[in-house]
Amino acid sequence: MTTTAVPVQSLPAGPSRRGSTRRARRSVYPSWFYIPAIALYVVFFAVPTFASFYFAFTRWSLFDSTFIGFDNFVQFFQDPQLVNGFIHTFEYGFSTSAIKVVLGLALAILLTSPVLGRGYLRAVVFFPVLVSTIGVGFIFKNLLDPFHGMVNAVLGAVGLPKPGWFTDPNMALGTIAGVDVWKGVGIATLIFMAGIVAIPQEYYEAARMDGASSWRIFRSITLPLSRPAMGTVIILSLIGGLRSFDVIWATTNGGPGFASDVIASVIYKEYQFGLYGLSTAGNVILFLVVTAIMVPISWFINRKEVEL
Amino acid sequence: MSTRLRARRWIVGIIAILVSIVVFLVPFAFVILQAAKTPAEASNLNFALPTKWVFFENLTAVLQTNDGIVITAFINSVLLTVFSVAVMVVFAAMVGYVLQRKRTRWNPVINFFVLAGLIVPPAVVPTIWLLQGLGIFKTLFSGVVIEATFGLSFSILLFRAFVATIPRELDEAAVIDGAGPIRLFFQVVLPLLRPVIVTVIVVQAVAVFNDFQNPLYFLPGSDLATVQLTLYNFQSQTLSQFNLLFMDILLITIPPLVLYIFFNRQIVAGMTSGAIKG
């Protein structure tokens, strides 16, 4: 996935083939194969995206729109609650992505080593990926309920403080991020496992022959050679994290107050209020945020891969 | 050395299993226990065994709520998933194949738009405006095309990476044997794409079936409700009936689970040969 630009250049384009049969090749790989996908993409993705750059500058009721310049954006950045959502998006995206990378790599190393109960562990780590985000949100909302929840009952029984996981404004976003990691770490682990399994076994044998420690083997073999997998995990989890909505809406609806709002939940709230122009401005801001973060990161990751 | 290694393997394994029980098995067991309890017991939200197992009573109760809205939602979700994933597989396979095989100056442009489709968040209200303009808002058809469109980019990336592992010589042999472009793709290349097709089907089917955000925006109204929307509405309507809420969670986890159990090995195969080695 991350190797987007790489195979394009590295593929052997036979010199004899190139000269002789340019016409023939054109007919063998027909360009109209693109058309169905392009049609969908243009109509249902590109058109609304371009339209959003106009409607974000309007007061809009879906039937008629009045151009109001930058008013929506001014309102967005003057309202402290909306600014909150803006900042939370970064915090949430980067923290969930970082934890998934670290935990996913650790779990993948564990689950590719001959550990006791490996099949069971693999299954159990991956299972939450299959449960819907709404379902996962509800499970933890009940497990972490401050008064009736099981977790706090256990904490109280052993004399520990009982935090208000989803109800304490300082904790809500962090708790949601934890739930997100619980659900998503299985995918990260799977991708890392695929990367680690692809590393030739000879490298490990040679390193052990030279008396390298486990830490050294990890630093010098596993880590650098699972870099493509790491790129994939970083990109996918960051895109998912910055656009995250389902898990937040299932657990706190952005609350308490606005303590766990992100841009995606603000977009939905403005949409519910019928403030379509403001909602679309939120969409444009999310677009800019995600693009500004993802473009340099994916460029950096792809460049690194070329060097390898 | 080897006994020490074996001992470490055991200790690490036992610790990992204990942690996994607390972190993963307890929440799963919690769902199953709640789903088997009476409403009064379930509202305590504790981990005690039900004094009276009413698992099947709860199952029928869930299916009968609101004139069987759960069943309607299941049908909607299955239709939405099957059709959108079918569109994704066929359209993305065609693009991934030609994009990998044919080198033109358009390739970088197309690659750019594929990546943009993966990164850019869809513009919600303008999409609703568009669907209304086309007269297909609040139809299952619009849900299918929306889900298919949003899933295209990721599918194309998987297909393109996998096509790179199929030798070009095969295409040439087929062409020399007289196959046209259509036959070459559908009879020679497509069968070889089987592993990645399975991967795309499972990954995208689970994603669409479990999707909440897009149905929330684009499929409003109880006629078009998907299983995730009904689950969400269940929470607000039946606050006192946690047993039914958890039974519903259990129920709608079955289709993705079955899909995964069937194709478990092939998913990893498609991922490794496709996405990672690129």
Side-chain angles (χ1 to χ4, degrees), chain B residues 19-101:
Chain B
V19 172
S20 79
I21 288 173
V22 174
V23 175
F24 291 109
L25 284 194
V26 166
F28 302 152
F30 178 73
V31 175
I32 296 171
L33 282 181
Q34 299 312 104
K37 285 181 183 177
T38 58
E41 278 187 339
S43 64
N44 291 333
L45 291 176
N46 61 21
F47 206 66
L49 285 177
T51 49
K52 193 167 156 239
W53 289 78
V54 285
F55 195 83
F56 290 101
E57 287 86 339
N58 287 344
L59 181 62
T60 44
V62 165
L63 295 179
Q64 282 164 356
T65 319
N66 286 350
D67 302 324
I69 182 106
V70 173
I71 295 170
T72 314
F74 247 100
I75 296 169
N76 286 339
S77 278
V78 168
L79 291 175
L80 182 71
T81 307
V82 168
F83 285 109
S84 64
V85 173
V87 171
M88 269 184 240
V89 166
V90 176
F91 287 13
M94 289 162 77
V95 173
Y97 163 69
V98 178
L99 189 59
Q100 200 283 322
R101 282 298 199 245

Side-chain angles (χ1 to χ4, degrees), chain B residues 21-272:
Chain B
I21 288 173
V22 174
V23 175
F24 291 109
L25 284 194
V26 166
F28 302 152
F30 178 73
V31 175
I32 296 171
L33 282 181
Q34 299 312 104
K37 285 181 183 177
T38 58
E41 278 187 339
S43 64
N44 291 333
L45 291 176
N46 61 21
F47 206 66
L49 285 177
T51 49
K52 193 167 156 239
W53 289 78
V54 285
F55 195 83
F56 290 101
E57 287 86 339
N58 287 344
L59 181 62
T60 44
V62 165
L63 295 179
Q64 282 164 356
T65 319
N66 286 350
D67 302 324
I69 182 106
V70 173
I71 295 170
T72 314
F74 247 100
I75 296 169
N76 286 339
S77 278
V78 168
L79 291 175
L80 182 71
T81 307
V82 168
F83 285 109
S84 64
V85 173
V87 171
M88 269 184 240
V89 166
V90 176
F91 287 13
M94 289 162 77
V95 173
Y97 163 69
V98 178
L99 189 59
Q100 200 283 322
R101 282 298 199 245
K102 189 168 169 175
R103 307 265 155 265
T104 70
R105 62 206 152 91
W106 292 103
N107 279 32
V109 180
I110 294 168
N111 282 324
F112 169 81
F113 281 110
V114 170
L115 212 56
L118 190 69
I119 291 174
V120 172
V124 180
V125 192
T127 307
I128 293 174
W129 165 78
L130 175 87
L131 295 176
Q132 280 186 341
L134 294 173
I136 56 171
F137 186 50
K138 296 188 185 176
T139 61
L140 205 56
F141 173 76
S142 72
V144 169
V145 290
I146 290 290
E147 293 285 6
T149 306
F150 293 172
L152 267 182
S153 285
F154 188 60
S155 313
I156 290 173
L157 289 175
L158 286 175
F159 275 114
R160 195 193 57 189
F162 193 85
V163 170
T165 65
I166 300 173
R168 258 168 199 277
E169 285 70 24
L170 220 68
D171 304 9
E172 281 154 18
V175 171
I176 288 167
D177 288 346
I182 307 284
R183 270 193 59 189
L184 171 62
F185 177 67
F186 284 99
Q187 292 193 349
V188 180
V189 176
L190 206 55
L192 295 171
L193 296 180
R194 220 192 95 119
V196 71
I197 289 176
V198 170
T199 307
V200 170
I201 288 177
V202 176
V203 170
Q204 299 289 22
V206 171
V208 173
F209 192 84
N210 284 346
D211 188 15
F212 173 68
Q213 190 176 16
N214 292 318
L216 181 70
Y217 281 118
F218 304 120
L219 297 175
S222 57
D223 290 348
L224 297 172
T226 64
V227 285
Q228 306 305 331
L229 291 178
T230 25
L231 174 61
Y232 186 79
N233 292 333
F234 236 64
Q235 181 214 215
S236 42
Q237 286 162 7
T238 57
L239 263 183
S240 56
Q241 292 182 294
F242 283 105
N243 54 341
L244 300 189
L245 181 76
F246 285 103
M247 177 55 84
D248 197 19
I249 294 178
L250 209 55
L251 212 55
I252 65 176
T253 307
I254 293 171
L257 185 64
V258 168
L259 208 57
Y260 176 71
I261 290 172
F262 261 94
F263 296 110
N264 182 3
R265 283 176 188 285
Q266 290 168 65
I267 300 172
V268 181
M271 281 276 208
T272 44

Side-chain angles (χ1 to χ4, degrees), chain A residues 54-55 57-61 64-69:
Chain A
Y54 168 71
F55 287 121
F57 295 94
T58 64
R59 192 176 293 115
W60 187 24
S61 73
D64 61 314
S65 54
T66 334
F67 189 83
I68 53 167

